[in-house]
Amino acid sequence: MKLRIEVSNRSAEELIEYIRKLIYPTKKTSIIEHKGHPLLETVLQKDIEYMQKTMTNIDIKQFDLLVQAIGSAKRTFCMGWGYSSFLAEFLAFGLNFLAFDAVSINRERRPLIQRILHLNEDDILIVFDLLLYSIEVQEAVEYLRNKNKKIKIVTFTNDSAAKIVECANLSFYFDLSGHEFQVISLSAPMCFINAILEQIVILNPEK
């Protein structure tokens, strides 16, 4: 509630700077200074906490629908920007390794929207949109949804109220609240991706 009040009283430029400071604080302090434990042990325990929080909040029925959608899709396109691009690339790599047709879409020379123009209703688009958010990702997903509502879109965000969720057939959330690392840890999302890949193997042994 306090954060919502503070945000509502700020201009656009002030809001951008406010969010930047929340994510990238000027004063960098290690979590070890506050925990009194060896660094490796502290990092391990915090990552375990993030992974447990993520995995216990996943809806099993939604998870099964996601795996079935990937298994039945002709092609899987994985999109991400910034931190999220690592997750998109990792999922696409894993699917290719398992002999599925998967493509990683991140910001290169061509805008994202141009790279998804050829998707059709046999394809699935999986979008990772964690901090920091990208307006280009949002616009690309909105364009695809308006172009063809039969194309399956799956979103992974850290905010259930994110606008991009409105375009999704399936949505999953990674709770990053209370994150203490200076650089956002991707261990929890990576753990979930591993679960996706393992379940795909179980359901598609012929691959």
Side-chain angles (χ1 to χ4, degrees), residues 62-63 65-73 75-81 84-93 95 100-106 112 116 119 123-130 137 140-141 144-145 151-157 164 167-172 174 189 192-193 196-197 200:
Q62 295 285 90
F63 175 76
L65 289 174
L66 168 61
V67 173
Q68 292 168 13
I70 294 175
S72 62
R75 299 175 299 177
T76 299
F77 292 83
C78 306
M79 178 189 290
W81 181 90
S84 300
S85 66
F86 295 108
L87 301 174
E89 290 174 3
F90 182 62
L91 177 56
F93 171 83
L95 291 172
F100 287 85
D101 189 354
V103 180
S104 172
I105 300 177
N106 48 44
L112 294 176
I116 61 173
L119 270 70
D123 301 322
I124 181 173
L125 176 65
I126 299 178
V127 186
F128 294 90
D129 194 31
L130 308 181
V137 170
V141 174
L144 186 65
R145 171 52 69 229
I151 297 176
K152 292 185 178 66
I153 298 176
V154 180
T155 58
F156 292 84
T157 72
I164 196 172
C167 302
N169 300 98
L170 293 171
S171 298
F172 297 88
F174 300 122
F192 184 51
I193 290 175
I196 293 172
L197 297 173
I200 285 176

Side-chain angles (χ1 to χ4, degrees), residues 84-203:
S84 300
S85 66
F86 295 108
L87 301 174
E89 290 174 3
F90 182 62
L91 177 56
F93 171 83
L95 291 172
N96 283 324
F97 184 80
L98 298 176
F100 287 85
D101 189 354
V103 180
S104 172
I105 300 177
N106 48 44
R107 190 63 169 91
E108 296 179 347
R109 293 193 179 104
R110 288 187 298 158
L112 294 176
I113 195 170
Q114 289 186 10
R115 304 191 62 195
I116 61 173
L117 290 175
H118 59 292
L119 270 70
N120 57 56
E121 57 194 60
D122 295 323
D123 301 322
I124 181 173
L125 176 65
I126 299 178
V127 186
F128 294 90
D129 194 31
L130 308 181
L131 295 170
L132 296 168
Y133 305 115
S134 168
I135 186 63
E136 186 175 354
V137 170
Q138 173 70 36
E139 291 175 347
V141 174
E142 287 181 344
Y143 170 82
L144 186 65
R145 171 52 69 229
N146 292 329
K147 176 187 175 186
N148 190 338
K149 297 186 182 301
K150 293 183 178 181
I151 297 176
K152 292 185 178 66
I153 298 176
V154 180
T155 58
F156 292 84
T157 72
N158 61 283
D159 183 2
S160 60
K163 189 177 179 181
I164 196 172
V165 174
E166 299 174 4
C167 302
N169 300 98
L170 293 171
S171 298
F172 297 88
Y173 311 107
F174 300 122
D175 188 351
L176 299 180
S177 60
H179 208 291
E180 299 180 62
F181 295 129
Q182 291 298 318
V183 177
I184 293 176
S185 172
L186 298 180
S187 59
M190 287 290 194
C191 182
F192 184 51
I193 290 175
N194 280 334
I196 293 172
L197 297 173
E198 289 300 316
Q199 186 68 359
I200 285 176
V201 171
I202 293 173
L203 296 180

